[in-house]
Amino acid sequence: MKVAVFSTKAYDRKFLLAANSPIQHELVFFEPRLNRDTAILAAEFPAVCVFVHDQVDAPTLELLASRGTRLIVLRCAGFNNVDLQAAADLGITVVRVPAYSPYGVAEHAVGLILSLNRKIHRAYNRVREGNFSLDGLLGFNLHERTVGIVGTGKIGLILGQIMKGFGCNLLAYDVYRNPELEALGGKYVELPELFANSDIISLHCPLTSETHHLINTEAIKQIKPGVMLINTSRGALIDTQAVIEGLKSGKIGYLGVDVYEQESELFFEDLSGEIIQDDIFQRLTTFPNVLITGHQAFFTAEALYNIAETTFANITDVEQGRPCANEIRA
C-alpha cells in the first residue's frame, strides 16, 4: 500500500524502513505535521500514517478523503487528536498501536522519581561547576513509602512491580482491577484515599472526558502535603495552572512530567534559538523541584521497533481485508 508518513524524524525513518523491509509497502516520508494546510501532500495516498501531534480533525479528514485516503494509521496509542466520528462518516478506517514496550515508559517514570528525590539533575550541574556542597540535595528512602498508581494497565503494572522491588507500598485506582497488581500486594482504593495517603502519585491512564484535568485544584486539596507527582501519560490529565499553585504553596513537593497539555507547540522540535511564548510552561521551568522531559518516555529502540512492526501489521490487515484488532471506532 502507498503510505504518506507525516511528522517524521530520522529515527522514525530508520525503524519504519527496517520493519517495512520484508513487507515492501510504498512509504513516502514528510517532515511536516499533518494538518489542513499539509493534507494536500497526501493526495492519492490510500493510507496516511500520523503521530501524536498531527491534526486529524474533521476538515483535515475531509480533505484527505476527497483525495483518496481511506486509512489513517496512528503510530501511537493515543487517538484524542482524531475525530473518529468524522472518519466514520467519511468511510475512513482508523488503526493505532495500543501498546509498545510498556517497560520503557514505566522505567522512565522511575527515572523521574529517582532524579527528583535525590536531586540528580541539580547535582550533575553543581559538580560540573566544581560545587560539591550537599546543601539542598537531601532526599528520602523509597523503602516503605507509599506509591499511588492511577491506571493499572500494562505500564501501571510494571511501575508497580519496579516500585515493589524498592520496598514500596502500593495503592491503586482504576475502573478495572488488575489481579496481577493485587498479587503484588497492591490495594485498590478510591481516588480521595489514594491522594491522601500516597507519598508518590504516578499517572498511567488514558485521556478521556472523565480524566481530563484529573489533577485539579480540588484534587490538590486532597493530596498528602509534599507529594511527588509524576505524569508520563497524557499532558491534559493535569491542570497545569492548578499544579503551579500547588507547587507555590508547597502542597506539591516534587513534579516530574514527560507530557504537557500544550506540548504540541513545543515538543519534538529544537526551539533553543527561539523565545518560547508559553508563559505557563516557562513558569514551570523556574521551579527547582520540577523536572520536565520532552515526551521521551516511549523513546527506546525496543519501543520504536514495536511501533513500526504493529503499524505495518495494521496496514497489511486492512489492505488484505482482514479484521484488524487495533481498529478504533467512534
Side-chain angles (χ1 to χ4, degrees):
M1 186 177 285
K2 189 177 180 182
V3 185
V5 189
F6 283 84
S7 296
T8 57
K9 305 292 186 184
Y11 48 80
D12 293 306
R13 292 191 288 272
K14 174 184 175 182
F15 285 92
L16 288 169
L17 287 171
N20 187 50
S21 180
I23 306 168
Q24 294 297 304
H25 289 295
E26 182 182 347
L27 307 180
V28 178
F29 295 104
F30 297 104
E31 289 188 15
R33 293 177 182 173
L34 175 67
N35 55 40
R36 302 172 199 185
D37 297 324
T38 60
I40 187 64
L41 296 171
E44 308 306 322
F45 283 83
V48 171
C49 183
V50 298
F51 197 45
V52 290
H53 295 149
D54 288 295
Q55 186 183 70
V56 199
D57 56 9
T60 303
L61 287 164
E62 288 169 7
L63 289 167
L64 292 173
S66 70
R67 293 171 172 83
T69 296
R70 291 292 175 265
L71 174 62
I72 297 295
V73 185
L74 291 156
R75 57 183 193 277
C76 53
F79 51 89
N80 51 287
N81 57 329
V82 182
D83 188 328
L84 293 176
Q85 187 58 58
D89 293 342
L90 292 163
I92 295 176
T93 301
V94 182
V95 295
R96 67 170 179 147
V97 182
Y100 42 86
S101 190
Y103 293 95
V105 179
E107 290 166 7
H108 191 81
V110 175
L112 292 174
I113 291 169
L114 291 172
S115 295
L116 280 167
N117 177 25
R118 304 308 299 269
K119 321 296 193 293
I120 293 171
H121 55 305
R122 299 183 66 192
Y124 170 79
N125 288 323
R126 282 192 188 185
V127 170
R128 286 172 62 85
E129 296 172 355
N131 179 356
F132 303 101
S133 169
L134 298 184
D135 289 338
L137 301 182
L138 187 67
F140 58 85
N141 288 349
L142 290 175
H143 184 72
E144 294 189 350
R145 295 283 176 162
T146 298
V147 179
I149 304 172
V150 181
T152 56
K154 292 181 180 179
I155 296 171
L157 172 63
I158 292 167
L159 179 77
Q161 292 170 339
I162 296 171
M163 300 313 293
K164 191 67 177 179
F166 279 106
C168 295
N169 303 309
L170 304 179
L171 294 180
Y173 173 82
D174 202 314
V175 176
Y176 304 101
R177 295 191 174 197
N178 188 333
E180 291 184 69
L181 188 78
E182 291 181 306
L184 288 173
K187 178 185 177 184
Y188 279 90
V189 295
E190 295 302 310
L191 279 175
E193 184 176 345
L194 184 146
F195 289 153
N197 292 286
S198 297
D199 300 294
I200 300 167
I201 298 171
S202 194
L203 307 179
H204 300 282
C205 50
L207 177 60
T208 65
S209 57
E210 290 79 15
T211 62
H212 182 266
H213 285 183
L214 182 73
I215 304 298
N216 54 26
T217 300
E218 189 58 36
I220 292 169
K221 290 178 183 177
Q222 300 173 31
I223 62 175
K224 189 174 184 179
V227 73
M228 180 185 292
L229 177 62
I230 304 292
N231 186 13
T232 55
S233 189
R234 293 288 179 268
L237 295 176
I238 286 177
D239 179 342
T240 311
Q241 191 60 61
V243 165
I244 287 173
E245 295 304 315
L247 287 162
K248 288 166 65 177
S249 70
K251 195 72 186 290
I252 297 174
Y254 314 78
L255 175 68
V257 295
D258 185 58
V259 288
Y260 169 61
E261 57 184 324
Q262 302 299 330
E263 69 177 59
S264 62
E265 301 303 316
L266 302 172
F267 289 1
F268 304 121
E269 305 299 334
D270 181 359
L271 305 179
S272 57
E274 301 182 24
I275 303 298
I276 293 176
Q277 300 298 316
D278 188 329
D279 292 340
I280 294 177
F281 181 82
Q282 291 294 74
R283 181 67 178 98
L284 271 184
T285 65
T286 67
F287 291 96
N289 54 343
V290 171
L291 181 55
I292 304 169
T293 54
H295 207 131
Q296 70 178 79
F298 81 99
F299 198 59
T300 66
E302 293 83 357
L304 288 180
Y305 190 76
N306 288 345
I307 289 169
E309 268 196 323
T310 304
T311 294
F312 292 124
N314 290 342
I315 293 171
T316 301
D317 281 345
V318 174
E319 180 186 40
Q320 297 184 3
R322 296 194 297 258
C324 181
N326 297 323
E327 181 179 350
I328 46 177
R329 302 180 182 183

